Amino acid sequence: MNLLGLDPLLAGDIDFGIVLIVLLKVIVTFGLLLVAVMLMIWFERKLHADMSNRIGPNRAGPFGILQTLADGVKFFFKEDLLPDRADRKVFILAPFLSMIPAFLVFSVIPIGGVFTEEKQGAVKIFGHHTWLQLADPPIGILLVLACSSIAVYGVMLAGWSSGSKYPLLGSVRASAQMVSYEAALGLSVVTVVLLAGSLSTHDIVMAQAGEGFGGIVPRWNLIVTGLVPFVIFVIAGTAELNRPPFDLVEAEQELVGGFHTEYSSIRFALFYLAEFMNTVTMSAIIVTLFLGGPAGPTFFGPDWMWGPLWFVAKLAIFLFMFIWFRATLPRFRYDQLMDLGWKAMIPLALGWLLLLGTINVARDEDWNLPLVVAIGFVVMVSAYALLTTAIRTAQRRRDDAEEVRA
C-alpha cells in the first residue's frame, strides 16, 4: 500500500472502518476546497472593491457573502450555447480538463496535523492514526507538476474547439505562457526537493517543522533556500494562473473574453470556478513548499487544532497577495511576459539551483564553505553578465538589420 500512499492509515490491513475514514476525507477535502473557492470569489470582489473605493457585493447574505452562491444558481438557468462550427465533444470536455486537475492537486496538500518528532504529523480519527490530507503518494510534487501541465489542455482545447479565431488566439497565448513559466516553476520546486530529500508533500512539511535557527527563526524553505526560489515560484505561479499582471489570455481590449468567449451558462461557470480554484490550490502549494504548511507552534487546547489554523492563516496571506497584484499592477505586454520568463527567471532559477547543489556538496564533503559560496556567486554574476551581453548584442543586430531594410 505504500506505493499508493504513505499514510499510516493504510499501513496495515484495510477494514470497513478505514474505508469509511477515507471516504470521509474525500468528502471533507473536496467540500473544503469548494467552500474555500466560494469564499475566495467573495473575498476578491470585496477586497478589490475596497481598494478601488467601491462597495462590492452587499445584497446576498451578510456582507454579500452569499453572492457567489447566487451567481452559481443564476448560471444554471442561463441558456447554454453551442457554436455551429464548434467541435461538440471537445467543446464539452474542455471545462472539466481545467477544473479536475485543481481537485487532484489539492488532494496531496496537508491541511493539518501535529508535526512533532513524536507524532510526525499524525492525528487520531475514530481510533486510527492518519494524516490530515487525502493522499500522500511518494511522487506528490511530481503529481502537482503533472496536473498543472494537464490544465493547459483545458485552455487550449477550449479555444481550438470553439470554431472562432479570437478564442483560439487566447488559447495559444495561454499555452505559450503556461509552458514558458513551467520551466522556472519546476526549477524552483527542485530546490525544495533537493533540501527536503523527498517528493512527498508530507515529508517536505515535516522537514520544515520544529524549532529553527536560534529557536526563533523557523526552518521554512522560504529562508533555507535563500528567498530566490520562493520569489520565482510566486511569479511563475501567477503566470501559470493567468492572473494579473499576466492575464494576457483574457486581454479584453483585443480578445473580447479570451479562450472562453463562446462559452455560456454552466460551462462558463466551470472555467470561472477553475480559475479561482487554481488560485486557492496554488496558494496552498506555496504554503506547503515554502512556509511549512500547517506546521507551527501550539499554545493552548488540543494540539491537533493548531495545524488547520496555521494553514488557513498562511493561505489567506497569499490569497490577499494575488488580489493585491490584481488591483495594483498593470498588465504586461506579451514580449515583456516572454522576456521575463525566458531571459530572466529560467536562467536565475537554474543558476540558484546549481548554487544550492554546490553548497550541499561542499557541506557533505567538508569543503571551505565560504569560499565555495563566494566562487558560486562570482560564477553566477559572470554568467548573468555574459547572458545580458549576448541579448543586447542580438537586439542591436536586429535593430541594425531593420534600419538597413528601411
Side-chain angles (χ1 to χ4, degrees):
M1 291 300 295
N2 283 344
L3 294 176
L4 300 177
L6 303 177
D7 196 319
L9 183 69
L10 307 176
D13 296 332
I14 307 298
D15 56 22
F16 185 67
I18 292 178
V19 173
L20 289 179
I21 293 175
V22 172
L23 291 176
L24 177 64
K25 289 170 71 174
V26 171
I27 295 171
V28 170
T29 300
F30 294 142
L32 284 176
L33 180 57
L34 289 175
V35 172
V37 170
M38 186 177 74
L39 293 177
M40 171 59 186
I41 297 174
W42 169 81
F43 182 51
E44 174 151 353
R45 296 174 68 177
K46 201 71 174 174
L47 186 59
H48 197 290
D50 289 341
M51 291 180 176
S52 306
N53 197 23
R54 295 182 289 109
I55 297 175
N58 66 343
R59 295 292 182 183
F63 305 104
I65 200 168
L66 298 179
Q67 185 63 52
T68 306
L69 184 63
D71 290 340
V73 173
K74 178 184 68 175
F75 273 121
F76 272 103
F77 294 98
K78 280 189 170 291
E79 182 181 4
D80 186 20
L81 302 177
L82 186 65
D84 292 336
R85 297 184 179 182
D87 187 311
R88 182 181 179 85
K89 293 181 180 179
V90 179
F91 188 83
I92 295 173
L93 177 65
F96 296 98
L97 288 178
S98 291
M99 188 176 67
I100 291 176
F103 277 113
L104 296 177
V105 169
F106 198 75
S107 67
V108 300
I109 300 297
I111 60 176
V114 184
F115 288 89
T116 61
E117 291 294 333
E118 178 185 357
K119 296 189 177 181
Q120 296 288 310
V123 296
K124 200 168 186 179
I125 300 178
F126 301 126
H128 295 276
H129 287 91
T130 185
W131 293 336
L132 289 182
Q133 63 185 108
L134 180 55
D136 181 43
I139 57 167
I141 290 300
L142 291 182
L143 177 65
V144 170
L145 295 176
C147 288
S148 68
S149 300
I150 293 174
V152 179
Y153 287 96
V155 174
M156 184 65 207
L157 292 176
W160 174 81
S161 64
S162 295
S164 174
K165 59 185 177 182
Y166 291 110
L168 178 60
L169 183 58
S171 63
V172 170
R173 280 185 177 182
S175 302
Q177 176 177 323
M178 296 167 84
V179 169
S180 298
Y181 280 82
E182 271 184 5
L185 186 138
L187 288 171
S188 61
V189 169
V190 173
T191 60
V192 173
V193 174
L194 180 69
L195 295 177
S198 174
L199 294 169
S200 163
T201 52
H202 178 273
D203 290 346
I204 290 174
V205 171
M206 195 65 213
Q208 302 173 77
E211 291 187 0
F213 311 103
I216 300 175
V217 180
R219 292 191 296 179
W220 292 348
N221 288 326
L222 167 68
I223 301 169
V224 177
T225 59
L227 187 65
V228 172
F230 167 76
V231 174
I232 292 174
F233 192 94
V234 169
I235 296 174
T238 306
E240 283 277 302
L241 296 172
N242 299 318
R243 287 185 62 90
F246 306 116
D247 58 334
L248 292 160
V249 179
E250 302 172 10
E252 299 89 351
Q253 72 272 20
E254 50 193 289
L255 295 178
V256 183
F259 62 90
H260 49 54
T261 301
E262 302 294 343
Y263 282 85
S264 63
S265 187
I266 192 61
R267 293 197 182 101
F268 173 78
L270 291 177
F271 277 120
Y272 189 74
L273 188 67
E275 177 183 343
F276 286 91
M277 193 178 294
N278 285 322
T279 304
V280 174
T281 55
M282 183 62 73
S283 300
I285 294 168
I286 295 173
V287 169
T288 301
L289 293 179
F290 295 100
L291 269 75
T298 58
F299 299 103
F300 55 85
D303 52 5
W304 57 265
M305 78 174 185
W306 286 97
L309 290 177
W310 283 119
F311 181 79
V312 172
K314 296 172 185 177
L315 187 69
I317 293 173
F318 289 98
L319 295 178
F320 175 85
M321 179 191 69
F322 283 122
I323 300 171
W324 197 4
F325 287 170
R326 185 178 202 131
T328 57
L329 298 178
R331 180 180 291 140
F332 276 48
R333 293 198 318 263
Y334 198 73
D335 62 314
Q336 293 173 332
L337 175 76
M338 288 296 154
D339 284 349
L340 177 64
W342 289 101
K343 298 178 181 178
M345 293 187 59
I346 292 178
L348 179 59
L350 180 59
W352 202 262
L353 171 62
L354 294 176
L355 178 62
L356 289 180
T358 304
I359 292 173
N360 278 355
V361 172
R363 189 182 293 115
D364 294 339
E365 299 294 332
D366 200 22
W367 293 346
N368 187 333
L369 194 58
L371 180 61
V372 170
V373 173
I375 294 174
F377 272 109
V378 169
V379 172
M380 284 187 63
V381 172
S382 302
Y384 175 76
L386 290 173
L387 177 63
T388 303
T389 302
I391 292 172
R392 289 177 179 174
T393 302
Q395 183 63 46
R396 187 166 56 250
R397 288 176 178 174
R398 282 196 299 268
D399 294 341
D400 293 341
E402 289 178 0
E403 289 179 4
V404 171
R405 286 195 218 99

